[in-house]
Amino acid sequence: MKVVLIMAETVDGVISRSSNEFVDWTGSEDKKIFMRLTKEAGVLIMGSKTYDTIGKPLPGRKNIILTRNKKRISDNPNLVFCDDSPEKILADLETEGYTMVALAGGAQVNSLFAAHNLIDELIITIAPRIFGTGLRLFTDSLDLKLQLLSTKILEENFLMIHYKVLK
Ligand SMILES: NC(=O)c1ccc[n+]([C@@H]2O[C@H](COP(=O)([O-])OP(=O)(O)OC[C@H]3O[C@@H](n4cnc5c(N)ncnc54)[C@H](OP(=O)(O)O)[C@@H]3O)[C@@H](O)[C@H]2O)c1
């Protein structure tokens, strides 16, 4: 199972100015690429705070939302609230036949998977913005080593970088 972190950040490494900010500054090409990759994967994982900024599941894909709130339930098979370990989530997805999953933030959930050394690739869009303060890609101290796979200039001023995590 390949876990690909797909995120956008500012030039100063900020993913949002606060946990409840809906991120609308990543550019239209980034959105299209996110849509294509997550549809190809068929499944994405995000934290409840990120989900709440969107407010609904992304259509045509399985949405796994990490939360410890047992009151959050869903009767939609493509919307799953859970507090399983990252290993169990990935093992279950593999059993269901998925081979790739998009890890779609936010910082807490990215850190959870990074702490378990479960991130295989990162696709990061650098947006032409600087916020100075805010949430970063990860919340905790880490030391991941990366290999650059590709770079791509998106629409004017946006840069996408694709890294593999060396394990
Ligand atoms: N720039 C980008 O590309 C991008 C992408 C995604 C998100 N974002 C932004 O990131 C911000 C949210 O990030 P965030 O770090 O504050 O929150 P988050 O990672 O989206 O969600 C955190 C929540 O996930 C749940 N959680 C965390 N660890 C868990 C575990 N081990 N087991 C079960 N549930 C767990 C908890 O939910 P409960 O509190 O419900 O228990 C926790 O409050 C938003 O502003 C969003 O817009 C930006």
Side-chain angles (χ1 to χ4, degrees), residues 7-8 15-16 18-19 21 48 50 66-68 104 106-109:
M7 297 285 291
I15 63 158
S16 72
S18 70
S19 271
E21 178 188 356
S48 73
T50 295
L66 276 167
T67 177
R68 297 186 184 89
Q108 283 188 40
V109 164

Side-chain angles (χ1 to χ4, degrees), residues 34-63:
F34 180 83
M35 180 85 78
R36 178 173 56 76
L37 291 174
T38 53
K39 283 200 166 159
E40 269 168 29
V43 56
L44 60 118
I45 300 172
M46 67 180 98
S48 73
K49 290 189 173 162
T50 295
Y51 176 72
D52 288 342
T53 68
I54 303 168
K56 57 182 189 314
L58 300 179
R61 290 145 281 186
K62 186 179 182 106
N63 292 238

